[in-house]
Amino acid sequence: MKVFIYPTNSLILSDLVERFGHEPLAIMQEVGKKVRRQGLDSPPMNMTPEDPKFGLKYAAVEVPSGVRGRMSLFDPLLSQAEAAIVVTEPVTSFGCMGCARTNELVNFLLRGKKIPMLRLDYPSTEEEAKVFVYKISEFLKSLKPKEEKK
Amino acid sequence: MDTITKMVVINSSKLLPSDVAIKMYETKADVMVKETCFGIIVSGERSVVEPLLSDIRKLDPYGIFIKERGFSPGEPYRCRATRRGGAKPGFHNLENDDKLLPLIAAALKSLDRGEIPVEKKQKKKLDIDKLKEIIKGSEELK
């Protein structure tokens, strides 16, 4: 099953989802598709003026192009998401995660999708980490296993 | 052709990034391997990289963490060598996650032992009306 993770560039969430037999939907795979595309139109991220137009699906034209551009990256992930693991108030929100409004919009859209969702806080002690990993493993076990890629 | 790049973050007392890199070379798989301070970056065909990394993970299941990376190894827009030093974009997030890895490793060990953790009850925040009562009470005492 395809599991959306938030923060979408989290190493821990991406690793745990893969470890427990599901496919993580992370921003890195979308960035990868952009930068590996033939020809560099607009380095380094290869975001072209066309991309904010895809973001119009989610946000009005008055919304900053940064939000719309980011939403064009999130669009394939959100549309494929069959479940979600959300860490509330992540300590860092850098890089692709930098835009607070995009993050709020992504969380809002996830809630509206009515998919199985697990909300957690990042652990700060070993006891909290045990609960964190246990909850994720139980949540992922309750989902159907991922389909094998051909 | 589906090329992917994966980051292997090593947080282990038994393994060094160089050990993992040598293991990768031993397999003679058609992948590009770059040793870094946090682990290794592997790039190649998805059908080659994924089974290879699932084998590599077995070297230390609690010390090896893997995630996908958009940029390929040595990408000039990301690599510090061509950006005149400083933290690479994404470093701070990785640094933050790296601090938590020993806790996650301990949690995975306990999960494999079949332990069921008990969640601690969270302390409730002080109610505003209760705080007002306390302030009033202390004023009356004066």
Side-chain angles (χ1 to χ4, degrees):
Chain A
M1 215 164 177
K2 291 179 176 179
V3 183
F4 184 89
I5 55 170
Y6 179 87
T8 53
N9 53 357
S10 170
L11 164 70
I12 294 169
L13 293 181
S14 179
D15 181 85
L16 288 176
V17 169
E18 209 172 322
R19 212 177 264 259
F20 294 119
H22 292 272
E23 189 183 334
L25 290 174
I27 197 77
M28 294 79 78
Q29 62 202 59
E30 291 308 315
V31 172
K33 278 179 203 164
K34 286 239 171 268
V35 297
R36 283 195 297 268
R37 199 166 60 191
Q38 285 290 313
L40 274 175
D41 299 323
S42 171
M45 295 287 280
N46 218 12
M47 295 289 282
T48 59
E50 288 299 306
D51 287 305
K53 289 183 192 168
F54 292 114
L56 286 172
K57 186 175 164 187
Y58 297 103
V61 73
E62 307 90 68
V63 173
S65 56
V67 175
R68 283 182 284 127
R70 283 182 174 90
M71 287 315 294
S72 73
L73 278 179
F74 281 107
D75 174 43
L77 304 176
L78 286 168
S79 56
Q80 288 176 57
E82 294 169 305
I85 300 176
V86 175
V87 172
T88 47
E89 295 176 22
V91 186
T92 51
S93 290
F94 286 95
C96 301
M97 293 291 300
C99 182
R101 294 290 166 262
T102 313
N103 293 342
E104 281 173 18
L105 183 57
V106 166
N107 275 300
F108 171 76
L109 292 167
L110 276 178
R111 284 198 296 274
K113 267 183 81 85
K114 309 280 180 207
I115 51 174
M117 189 154 85
L118 178 69
R119 294 179 78 84
L120 295 157
D121 284 325
Y122 263 138
S124 54
T125 62
E126 196 171 315
E127 292 309 309
E128 282 175 18
K130 283 179 184 173
V131 175
F132 179 83
V133 173
Y134 180 74
K135 277 186 178 174
I136 289 176
S137 79
E138 288 300 304
F139 174 73
L140 293 173
K141 272 180 206 165
S142 69
L143 306 172
K144 282 185 223 160
K146 82 169 173 184
E147 290 166 17
E148 287 296 313
K149 276 191 178 170
K150 284 173 190 173
Chain B
M1 211 169 106
D2 188 12
T3 310
I4 55 163
T5 305
K6 291 229 174 186
M7 270 165 83
V8 180
V9 180
I10 299 162
N11 197 301
S12 168
S13 52
K14 318 185 252 188
L15 275 179
L16 287 170
S18 55
D19 300 331
V20 178
I22 287 166
K23 285 275 174 198
M24 301 281 282
Y25 295 133
E26 279 174 6
T27 61
K28 293 180 184 170
D30 188 15
V31 290
M32 194 204 298
V33 179
K34 186 185 180 211
E35 196 185 317
T36 67
C37 55
F38 56 80
I40 54 167
I41 302 176
V42 189
S43 186
E45 286 280 311
R46 186 184 290 276
S47 56
V48 179
V49 172
E50 284 188 344
L52 184 66
L53 289 184
S54 65
D55 287 344
I56 289 294
R57 195 196 281 275
K58 285 173 196 156
L59 294 173
D60 186 0
Y62 306 117
I64 292 178
F65 295 85
I66 302 165
K67 81 164 181 177
E68 199 169 329
R69 187 181 191 233
F71 290 88
S72 49
E75 174 72 48
Y77 297 110
R78 277 289 183 271
C79 187
R80 293 177 55 192
T82 47
R83 293 176 70 250
R84 300 177 187 174
K88 78 170 181 70
F91 167 78
H92 299 292
N93 188 59
L94 186 66
E95 186 188 31
N96 185 55
D97 275 358
D98 195 68
K99 280 180 199 157
L100 296 175
L101 292 183
L103 303 179
I104 301 294
L108 284 169
K109 274 180 202 166
S110 100
L111 188 73
D112 284 353
R113 284 196 298 265
E115 287 175 22
I116 298 171
V118 185
E119 197 172 356
K120 276 185 186 172
K121 279 186 183 174
Q122 285 190 332
K123 281 182 187 172
K124 273 189 179 176
K125 285 181 182 171
L126 185 64
D127 187 57
I128 187 74
D129 295 327
K130 183 86 181 160
L131 179 66
K132 280 178 184 172
E133 271 177 34
I134 295 167
I135 294 168
K136 267 187 186 173
S138 65
E139 281 172 351
E140 280 166 16
L141 280 174
K142 283 176 187 172

